[in-house]
Amino acid sequence: MSRSIADQSDAELGGPGSVLVRQREDHVRLDRLLQELAGTTGRAQEEVLTRIDRLVFSHAFAEESVLWPVVRRVLPDGEELTLRIEQEHQEVNELVSELETLGHDDPRRAQRLSRLVEVLDEDVRDEEDVLLPRLQERLDPHELRALGRRWDLVRRISPTRPHPTVSRRPPGHALSALPLTVIDRSRDVVDAAVRRAPAGLAPVGRAVSQGLAGLAGLVERAPLARRGDRPPTSR
């Protein structure tokens, strides 16, 4: 039986820079953030959720762009394995999108937040215990490091926010990547400025951020952006 990548050394995973090492490092960061999230409320909860979002969505987009096509190519059951992960990614997108619309006193918020943490944990376990060890069996250390470089590059230029209607696979996934990345990362800059700005200027920044969100919605709803998904994750 394959060993979880959580139980292996960096050397066993292909050395520094291996995609397996990089994946595990992000998972460790996520675990710390989820621990920090527990027990938070109000503005503190929003701030931790924002940090989780920025980590999770770029990480997942890079997986879908770089890793899962390789898994489908080298594993006979790669289609089944990646589809399960894509369904988890889709649910995370939907939960975060809903949380962004719920007030702190909404009775649904606690349940949605609990489910988000549960799905993120499931996603990490499915990757570390099942999918990534299977990939490890098929690729040598050199290939794992080369894949790690590609994955890290894509992660650094990927969207950072939920986009539940966008396809998780080509062609929609690839065609929507550039415009959504530009919009998301522009919103990140604007929102960070709003948090530091004097109270009198904050409404202007929020209006700019909402305008960018509307632009992202147009990209998401474009027919080409929605092409490529299978029914379990298509919307």
Side-chain angles (χ1 to χ4, degrees), residues 102-118:
L102 299 179
H104 294 290
D105 57 350
D106 192 302
R108 295 169 294 175
R109 187 175 180 86
Q111 188 275 332
R112 301 301 193 276
L113 194 61
S114 175
R115 178 57 185 164
L116 175 63
V117 173
E118 182 180 359

Side-chain angles (χ1 to χ4, degrees), residues 202-224:
V204 176
R206 284 193 286 268
V208 172
S209 182
Q210 286 304 306
L212 290 169
L215 185 58
L218 292 176
V219 174
E220 290 184 57
R221 291 190 293 274
L224 285 176

Side-chain angles (χ1 to χ4, degrees), residues 7 10 38 133 143 152-153 163 197 210 233:
D7 300 328
D10 286 2
E143 291 171 315
D152 189 56
L153 174 62
H163 299 290
Q210 286 304 306
T233 61

Side-chain angles (χ1 to χ4, degrees), residues 12 14 29 41 54 61 86 130 141 153 155 176 178 182 212:
E12 289 175 304
R29 294 188 190 101
T41 58
R54 302 302 172 265
F61 194 93
E86 287 169 340
V130 181
L153 174 62
R155 181 183 61 136
S176 63
L178 178 58
V182 172
L212 290 169

Side-chain angles (χ1 to χ4, degrees), residues 18 45 64 135 213 230:
S18 160
Q45 186 179 93
E64 293 164 354
L135 182 64
R230 299 207 171 183

Side-chain angles (χ1 to χ4, degrees), residues 1-230:
M1 182 175 178
S2 302
R3 289 170 60 205
S4 170
I5 69 166
D7 300 328
Q8 300 184 51
S9 67
D10 286 2
E12 289 175 304
L13 295 176
S18 160
V19 69
L20 304 179
V21 173
R22 293 177 191 269
Q23 286 277 110
R24 187 175 62 184
E25 287 172 348
D26 268 11
H27 292 167
V28 170
R29 294 188 190 101
L30 175 60
D31 182 65
R32 290 171 182 159
L33 286 169
L34 292 177
Q35 291 181 40
E36 188 176 342
L37 180 67
T40 58
T41 58
R43 183 64 178 271
Q45 186 179 93
E46 287 183 7
E47 290 178 354
V48 179
L49 277 172
T50 295
R51 289 155 59 198
I52 290 172
D53 293 349
R54 302 302 172 265
L55 171 65
V56 164
F57 291 117
S58 59
H59 175 105
F61 194 93
E63 288 178 333
E64 293 164 354
S65 299
V66 176
L67 286 189
W68 299 169
V70 174
V71 171
R72 288 192 284 269
R73 175 169 55 83
V74 303
L75 294 178
D77 57 346
E79 173 67 31
E80 177 185 348
L81 290 170
T82 56
L83 182 58
R84 174 169 177 169
I85 302 296
E86 287 169 340
Q87 289 176 270
E88 291 167 348
H89 289 181
Q90 180 65 26
E91 186 172 0
V92 169
N93 271 261
E94 293 175 355
L95 286 165
V96 172
S97 295
E98 185 177 6
L99 282 166
E100 290 178 343
T101 70
L102 299 179
H104 294 290
D105 57 350
D106 192 302
R108 295 169 294 175
R109 187 175 180 86
Q111 188 275 332
R112 301 301 193 276
L113 194 61
S114 175
R115 178 57 185 164
L116 175 63
V117 173
E118 182 180 359
V119 177
L120 288 171
D121 283 338
E122 290 173 357
D123 184 64
V124 170
R125 294 279 63 80
D126 284 340
E127 291 179 9
E128 291 194 348
D129 300 347
V130 181
L131 189 150
L132 294 176
R134 295 283 309 283
L135 182 64
Q136 181 184 21
E137 293 172 350
R138 293 301 184 107
L139 302 181
D140 63 36
H142 174 76
E143 291 171 315
L144 290 171
R145 291 192 294 271
L147 196 56
R149 290 190 293 271
R150 288 173 51 207
W151 176 84
D152 189 56
L153 174 62
V154 171
R155 181 183 61 136
R156 293 175 184 274
I157 55 172
S158 291
T160 59
R161 297 184 182 239
H163 299 290
T165 63
V166 171
S167 173
R168 313 238 73 80
R169 298 190 183 190
H173 194 260
L175 293 171
S176 63
L178 178 58
L180 289 178
T181 295
V182 172
I183 294 168
D184 284 0
R185 292 180 182 267
S186 297
R187 285 189 70 195
D188 293 345
V189 172
V190 171
D191 289 352
V194 167
R195 289 192 290 271
R196 298 190 302 268
L201 296 178
V204 176
R206 284 193 286 268
V208 172
S209 182
Q210 286 304 306
L212 290 169
L215 185 58
L218 292 176
V219 174
E220 290 184 57
R221 291 190 293 274
L224 285 176
R226 306 179 72 171
R227 290 183 58 191
D229 264 350
R230 299 207 171 183

